[in-house]
Amino acid sequence: MPEVWSAPVRFVECDQQGVAFNAHYLVWADEAVNAWWAARGLPWQALVERGVEYFVKASSLDWVSSARYGETVAVDVGPAAVGRTSLTLEFTVRVGDRTCCTVRTTYVATVDGRPTPWPDDVRALLSAG
Amino acid sequence: MPEVWSAPVRFVECDQQGVAFNAHYLVWADEAVNAWWAARGLPWQALVERGVEYFVKASSLDWVSSARYGETVAVDVGPAAVGRTSLTLEFTVRVGDRTCCTVRTTYVATVDGRPTPWPDDVRALLSAG
Amino acid sequence: MPEVWSAPVRFVECDQQGVAFNAHYLVWADEAVNAWWAARGLPWQALVERGVEYFVKASSLDWVSSARYGETVAVDVGPAAVGRTSLTLEFTVRVGDRTCCTVRTTYVATVDGRPTPWPDDVRALLSAG
Amino acid sequence: MPEVWSAPVRFVECDQQGVAFNAHYLVWADEAVNAWWAARGLPWQALVERGVEYFVKASSLDWVSSARYGETVAVDVGPAAVGRTSLTLEFTVRVGDRTCCTVRTTYVATVDGRPTPWPDDVRALLSAG
């Protein structure tokens, strides 16, 4: 899985326990998925212009270590499953070689709020990995 | 499961898609778990004073509808599993009767960063639900 | 100045220094201004429907004490100045009787991104305080 | 004033008006001030180890344009005033050559929560600009 996004942990992202608060991992995964689409020549805005939005349907996070202020998190992304209207991506959030959290998120394509099949060219692109 | 926390959706929590951004559900669950401990007479700070911290080990979120600005989210919480060093809680985040998201989060008790069994009185309290 | 908004300080809002991070005061002021408009029968969405948006032009914050987790912040709001296209509000963010921060924010009404005079009925309402 | 910090605007930072929400400018300024100290060989943690913390005393923000998703914000920082216990920095937040917001923030050095003069070596360093 290629690295698609990276950023220093922000001071505001760390809580009184001295570690990055759990919710921020979903923010980082969101930036990573946007970068992942863009790297495929299909930025989020281009989908919206075609009337297709995608929403997060489900997400699971498993932490094995913490990220702290002063460290830089990197996110590797790869497809885990491509469905008719859905897409599941796996994200590895890490500090150097140390994994902090594995995130698996399932997105659903929608038109006017209803699930819709991915357009053919998008599906071809997703299946290519 | 009793309602333990509620708040109007904040403007800053909503994104350009017009719905509450997914990461905020973990923030709401965090406020809810703190309220849940406090309602049991054991606020987060009391545990810390005893040298016990708890960290989020894993979390899964399943969305069935969106929360929007102008709506008020409420969170019901109940225990799903009590282990030797862990605790899994289930949260229902809803707007009125409409469920938005089910969150299941597993916490691990730690001392100096290492998993530790819940103190006996805490376990008794957790088992009481 | 009447209290228009109140909320417990959230855990995620507190940083490693053990106090609410400064940026959150602008979030609280934003919730307060929305409540202030709504209390005048003119919710933010109603303005948007009339084609008028307002943007923050300037904001100044002066802190005299900190808000901490476990405390509840309340925000009092009152108009400080009403201009042709602008409105300056003063916010007092406090924990009980203890003031934490005074915020003064100037908003500008816009149509299509350009400053526009407040509609007459809105100005009448603003001048009424 | 040198550029000390830069980052792409995050999706989560943009609101339903399609622009970066105002509170995030204080987050960006905070990352910039930390980078500014670090570039002077005096990271925030080094001050803490010496028992000195600094808190934000006052902050003013003036917006002239908006930052949007897809754009990258850069922050230039320079000292505006150095007092006995205080330090005022000026931040220019911009997208390329276009200024979005000028932030002026006054910090106060504290020991045990009380204002304290900057240590001599720190003051020498601040006066050097």
Side-chain angles (χ1 to χ4, degrees), chain D residues 20-86:
Chain D
F21 185 77
N22 59 73
H24 298 300
Y25 288 80
L26 287 180
V27 171
W28 301 338
D30 184 64
E31 289 304 306
V33 73
N34 292 341
W36 185 82
W37 282 103
R40 266 144 201 76
L42 202 64
W44 168 77
Q45 297 93 331
L47 276 173
V48 170
E49 279 165 20
R50 293 168 62 172
V52 181
E53 287 189 287
Y54 59 87
F55 284 87
V56 173
K57 177 64 181 163
S59 199
S60 66
L61 307 95
D62 289 273
W63 283 270
V64 288
S65 72
S66 298
R68 290 168 189 277
Y69 182 67
E71 297 178 335
T72 293
V73 285
V75 183
D76 306 327
V77 183
V82 181
R84 204 177 65 95
T85 64
S86 71

Side-chain angles (χ1 to χ4, degrees), chain B residues 79-95:
Chain B
V82 181
R84 202 176 67 94
T85 65
S86 71
L87 166 67
T88 300
L89 295 179
E90 184 172 306
F91 306 79
T92 302
V93 182
R94 55 185 172 75
V95 172

